[in-house]
Amino acid sequence: SLSALEVFQSPYFSRNPIMSPFHLLLSLLLINHILSPFISSSPTPFIRQKYPNKNIGVYWQISDPHVDLQYEVGADSVCDVPLCCRRNSTNSAVIVQKNSLWQQQQKSQKESQSPESLKALPYGTMGAQCDIPQSTWKLALQWIKSTFTEDPADFILYGGDNIAHDVWRQTPEELIQYSKMAADDLLEVFGKDLPVYATIGNHDGSNAVNELPYKGEKKERYLESLHETFGANWLRTEQARKDLKDWGYYHELVPASIQPGRQKIRLATLNSQWVNPLNFWVYSSTVDLANNLEWIENVFKTARANGEKVLINGHIPPGISRGSAMPESLNFWNKGMEKLLTEYGDLVVGALVGHTHQDDFGVFHDYSTNPPKPTLVTFTTPSVTPYHGGHYPAVRKFYYDRETGELLDHETYYHNLTQFHQQGGDFNSYWKLEYSACKAWNLQDISALEVQHKIYDRLWSNDAEAWKQFNEFYYVSYPKPRCAPADNECKRKLLCSMGHMDFSNYMNCVLAPWPQTKA
């Protein structure tokens, strides 16, 4: 192709004096002015192509950054404690053993948790027990903001877990410091006009991981810091700010939904610490601490009375842990939500959580029907941190119908840290679209019925292609299968935990016959 100067100097202009460089410039400016609204530097999202006439809005979910302010490039990425990539993260025994251990791991392509380097690399280290420096977190936020030029967001959901995984040494003051840091960074990038709705992570407690007392100074001190940062910056109503300060949960209408022709959406942000089995403070009483079920039922009743839809924002998923038969959330909450959704499931457009760092989903059911009817999908977004070799840093974008409030699609984006370390260049140029849920799974939307029939049922039938794709997405395209193709026991337990929130239903599922592999 010719440069602009070469075009101006070409024989065409010498033979056509009327089309001078000045006239050509004016023509190009006019063409650009007319066509620029129709020209995009990025492909049209799949769901916008599928539904060109819908009024589609977007919002982003960002969760589990686990920023490490002590991350140090060049520090050891293999160490004898649960968090490495710090100046003092090894001892002599590890120094002697780690080189041979690392070399053995590197020989096996199947060993997905071997670190890509023995030393901490810029912006993060794949395959290592390392979190990310603050620079990576801020660049991720800036990359999301850069997409607003073509697709502005209506709001942001922040899933919590601000601090790194050095849980054995954290102080209450540090937990508050990291909470303020996360709020300040989000405010710096997105400003106050774009709502950022934050939920409390299990690493964001008052004194240590999984700790949030029901009452007392420790609880009040941490919730006060949330009120002063996230609440003061973005919550619009006095009641929501008060609830956040007192209990850590809150609800209010999303401002973008309070416009003519749009479905009003009430965002209900949970405090998962009140139903976290590892928060031992919850065992100080046999009743529902903080009246979680009563609170969420009142949210549903308010929405029903006002003709609103509800979007649930939380940290810890409901149901059973994907890695064991232990409850992820306390079973009274799982059973209570299951019951409430039989009555109010039509109001709830989705439940979005984080915590596990992986990409999966859970389905609530109404067991009064035969077969049980799916009532709600809980989508778990993968984390920003690649901690413990889990996956590439990731964030998620949701598309919804502004006229109905219903979720239409989600897209998962990830940063290929490995490729960046190999090739260098602009860090944010390595963010990639991993997949669109509707395109990848051939869905009409991401409603409970569609997810049940076109994803979950295919996995339950042991469809080989479905499992191949699910395994790829689970760890965000990192080469590490969740369940090996022949490991039916792994598949059965995983699917039972994804499809049955109540523990008794989970156990019935585990004991059910397993189908033969689909050709």
Side-chain angles (χ1 to χ4, degrees):
S1 59
L2 299 176
S3 68
L5 180 61
E6 289 171 329
V7 171
F8 293 153
Q9 294 174 342
S10 68
Y12 175 82
F13 285 103
S14 63
R15 296 194 301 269
N16 297 275
I18 295 178
M19 183 59 75
S20 66
F22 175 74
H23 286 92
L24 177 62
L25 180 61
L26 285 179
S27 301
L28 291 174
L29 288 172
L30 180 61
I31 292 170
N32 180 70
H33 177 74
I34 295 171
L35 295 182
S36 60
F38 307 100
I39 299 174
S40 170
S41 60
S42 302
T44 302
F46 176 79
I47 202 66
R48 293 194 185 278
Q49 297 178 44
K50 188 177 183 67
Y51 298 115
N53 298 320
K54 286 186 181 291
N55 183 3
I56 298 177
V58 303
Y59 49 86
W60 289 81
Q61 185 186 17
I62 315 162
S63 194
D64 298 83
H66 289 282
V67 173
D68 186 0
L69 295 178
Q70 297 184 48
Y71 186 99
E72 185 173 299
V73 174
D76 291 300
S77 68
V78 178
C79 66
D80 61 342
V81 292
L83 184 67
C84 308
C85 294
R86 290 178 159 190
R87 181 175 298 177
N88 301 315
S89 60
T90 63
N91 62 28
S92 57
V94 173
I95 293 173
V96 171
Q97 297 175 13
K98 70 180 180 182
N99 286 288
S100 60
L101 173 65
W102 179 73
Q103 290 169 359
Q104 290 172 15
Q105 289 176 333
Q106 289 293 306
K107 289 179 181 179
S108 173
Q109 296 297 320
K110 296 179 181 180
E111 177 54 72
S112 60
Q113 294 194 27
S114 57
E116 61 176 329
S117 169
L118 284 174
K119 299 294 182 181
L121 299 174
Y123 301 107
T125 308
M126 292 303 302
Q129 291 186 174
C130 303
D131 282 312
I132 57 171
Q134 187 179 13
S135 56
T136 307
W137 157 243
K138 294 181 74 170
L139 283 168
L141 300 182
Q142 291 165 11
W143 177 78
I144 291 172
K145 178 68 178 295
S146 73
T147 69
F148 293 0
T149 304
E150 296 182 347
D151 213 356
D154 288 344
F155 56 95
I156 302 289
L157 300 178
Y158 175 56
D161 270 10
N162 316 303
I163 199 166
H165 283 88
D166 56 333
V167 298
W168 66 92
R169 56 158 301 278
Q170 292 164 2
T171 66
E173 290 71 29
E174 280 183 296
L175 292 165
I176 292 175
Q177 173 196 359
Y178 273 78
S179 173
K180 292 180 177 178
M181 175 212 69
D184 289 345
D185 291 345
L186 287 158
L187 180 63
E188 178 185 340
V189 174
F190 298 117
K192 280 192 174 183
D193 292 335
L194 182 69
V196 177
Y197 298 111
T199 186
I200 298 172
N202 65 303
H203 284 260
D204 302 332
S206 61
N207 192 54
V209 63
N210 297 314
E211 180 178 323
L212 186 63
Y214 171 62
K215 59 179 69 174
E217 182 184 348
K218 288 181 179 180
K219 182 202 82 167
E220 292 165 1
R221 179 172 51 184
Y222 184 74
L223 294 184
E224 177 69 29
S225 74
L226 289 180
H227 171 263
E228 292 174 352
T229 52
F230 289 99
N233 288 338
W234 291 291
L235 296 186
R236 267 51 175 179
T237 66
E238 182 179 346
Q239 186 62 53
R241 291 191 293 271
K242 183 178 185 304
D243 286 344
L244 174 62
K245 180 180 178 181
D246 292 344
W247 302 110
Y249 50 52
Y250 58 89
H251 66 96
E252 69 175 18
L253 287 174
V254 174
S257 71
I258 315 174
Q259 296 185 27
R262 295 188 182 183
Q263 170 64 57
K264 292 181 180 179
I265 299 174
R266 183 167 295 276
L267 182 82
T269 295
L270 310 175
N271 181 353
S272 303
Q273 286 292 73
W274 300 137
V275 296
N276 178 4
L278 297 180
N279 178 18
F280 296 136
W281 291 93
V282 303
Y283 301 110
S284 63
S285 173
T286 57
V287 300
D288 176 6
L289 287 183
N291 298 314
N292 293 273
L293 286 172
E294 179 182 346
W295 175 79
I296 194 67
E297 183 175 12
N298 286 334
V299 174
F300 293 157
K301 288 179 176 178
T302 298
R304 177 77 79 198
N306 297 335
E308 303 160 355
K309 295 290 186 179
V310 176
L311 175 65
I312 296 175
N313 175 36
H315 179 72
I316 298 177
I320 310 301
S321 170
R322 303 295 186 257
S324 68
M326 298 297 293
E328 197 76 78
S329 294
L330 289 171
N331 207 47
F332 86 85
W333 172 256
N334 300 329
K335 287 182 65 113
M337 279 296 291
E338 187 178 272
K339 181 179 179 181
L340 286 173
L341 289 169
T342 62
E343 182 177 353
Y344 297 105
D346 61 306
L347 298 181
V348 187
V349 295
L352 312 180
V353 296
H355 180 61
T356 70
H357 296 198
Q358 279 83 51
D359 178 354
D360 74 354
F361 62 89
V363 185
F364 278 96
H365 290 88
D366 177 359
Y367 289 90
S368 67
T369 65
N370 188 17
K373 175 186 174 183
T375 55
L376 176 67
V377 178
T378 301
F379 292 104
T380 303
T381 195
S383 62
V384 179
T385 182
Y387 178 75
H388 212 280
H391 57 73
Y392 295 111
V395 293
R396 181 165 283 171
K397 182 179 184 180
F398 285 88
Y399 295 85
Y400 73 105
D401 187 335
R402 289 191 175 119
E403 295 180 4
T404 66
E406 301 295 334
L407 288 177
L408 297 175
D409 195 9
H410 70 65
E411 292 178 337
T412 302
Y413 291 84
Y414 73 100
H415 188 279
N416 195 323
L417 264 176
T418 302
Q419 192 176 64
F420 167 74
H421 289 144
Q422 293 170 348
Q423 301 177 9
D426 175 30
F427 179 84
N428 273 350
S429 68
Y430 288 87
W431 282 99
K432 304 175 186 298
L433 170 64
E434 183 187 25
Y435 73 101
S436 147
C438 283
K439 184 176 182 180
W441 295 103
N442 192 29
L443 309 177
Q444 294 302 308
D445 52 43
I446 52 174
S447 63
L449 279 172
E450 283 287 296
V451 171
Q452 171 78 37
H453 296 318
K454 296 184 180 178
I455 306 180
Y456 187 86
D457 288 351
R458 284 184 63 195
L459 294 171
W460 183 258
S461 71
N462 214 3
D463 183 310
E465 286 302 314
W467 271 105
K468 180 181 178 182
Q469 183 161 270
F470 179 83
N471 274 328
E472 179 182 353
F473 296 156
Y474 193 87
Y475 290 114
V476 195
S477 294
Y478 201 59
K480 170 179 158 182
R482 177 58 180 81
C483 292
D487 192 348
N488 285 348
E489 190 64 18
C490 171
K491 295 177 183 179
R492 180 206 301 267
K493 290 180 177 178
L494 178 64
L495 285 177
C496 289
S497 67
M498 291 168 59
H500 302 278
M501 303 298 108
D502 170 48
F503 186 76
S504 60
N505 291 325
Y506 164 77
M507 289 305 299
N508 290 336
C509 174
V510 169
L511 298 174
W514 177 256
Q516 296 297 312
T517 302
K518 183 178 179 180

